[in-house]
Amino acid sequence: NNNNNNNNNNSNNNVEKPDELSLRVKSLVKKEDVNVHVWTDQSVGDLKQTVRQALGPNADGRYLRLICRGRLLAPDSATLRDFPLRNGDVLHA
């Protein structure tokens, strides 16, 4: 029985901890690129909200698509961990 308990404890230690990502955003809304910081356990919807805030008032209320490495980040409910994002990646908004 003790062995089973140890195995269960070990599996809890294997839960992926979120990593922080620093991403650069290119957009037609703003001339200069902006940087955003997010965690891999956040949703695409959370990232969109962070990007809107970083882009400023011109981005409010606009439909926002985020593309990284040619891949559309969707649906909004997906977590960032579901995509092959790396620190320093460029997002196109």
Side-chain angles (χ1 to χ4, degrees), residues 15 24 36 73 76 81 86:
V15 173
R24 193 163 46 115
V36 296
L73 302 185
D76 283 1
R81 188 177 283 132
R86 290 190 294 232

Side-chain angles (χ1 to χ4, degrees), residues 3-85:
N3 287 341
N4 287 343
N5 287 341
N6 286 342
N7 288 341
N8 288 341
N9 288 341
N10 287 341
S11 67
N12 289 338
N13 293 336
N14 292 335
V15 173
E16 272 192 69
K17 293 181 180 170
D19 292 318
E20 186 176 13
L21 291 172
S22 176
L23 304 169
R24 193 163 46 115
V25 180
K26 289 181 169 285
S27 172
L28 297 175
V29 172
K30 206 167 187 175
K31 287 181 181 176
E32 68 274 354
D33 296 352
V34 295
N35 292 310
V36 296
H37 298 277
V38 291
W39 295 90
T40 54
D41 64 345
Q42 288 181 279
S43 70
V44 171
D46 293 336
L47 174 58
K48 285 182 177 181
Q49 187 60 36
T50 301
V51 168
R52 276 193 185 94
Q53 290 171 351
L55 292 176
N58 290 337
D60 287 348
R62 283 180 173 246
Y63 176 72
L64 188 61
R65 282 188 320 176
L66 298 177
I67 298 170
C68 184
R69 296 190 198 163
R71 184 171 178 191
L72 178 66
L73 302 185
D76 283 1
S77 59
T79 61
L80 300 181
R81 188 177 283 132
D82 297 334
F83 301 93
L85 297 173

